[in-house]
Amino acid sequence: MVLGPRGDSWGSVDQPMAVRDLVDEPATTDLYVCGPSPWAQQVADDARASGLKPDAIHLEKFGW
């Protein structure tokens, strides 16, 4: 869980995060992301950069 106000990435100011910080073996992991469009896209982009396969990233974006 990432707590606190948002930072410049999808993590928080106090806890800047990357998928590779949370997942031991990104290449063998599926990721499900649901959230506001800009945030969800940042998580998906970071996941790809961390080694997740594009078909392992399941993305659902929504706008307000």
Side-chain angles (χ1 to χ4, degrees), residues 4-61:
R6 288 190 181 147
D8 293 330
S9 71
W10 63 269
S12 70
V13 172
D14 294 332
Q15 291 181 284
M17 301 295 287
V19 169
R20 68 182 162 276
D21 297 329
L22 303 172
V23 178
D24 291 332
E25 297 182 34
T28 63
T29 301
D30 276 78
L31 177 69
Y32 295 83
V33 182
C34 179
S37 295
W39 177 87
Q41 190 61 55
Q42 283 183 331
V43 175
D45 291 346
D46 179 60
R48 278 190 289 281
S50 295
L52 269 80
K53 298 173 188 171
D55 63 342
I57 301 169
H58 311 280
L59 186 61
E60 183 175 338
K61 302 178 198 176

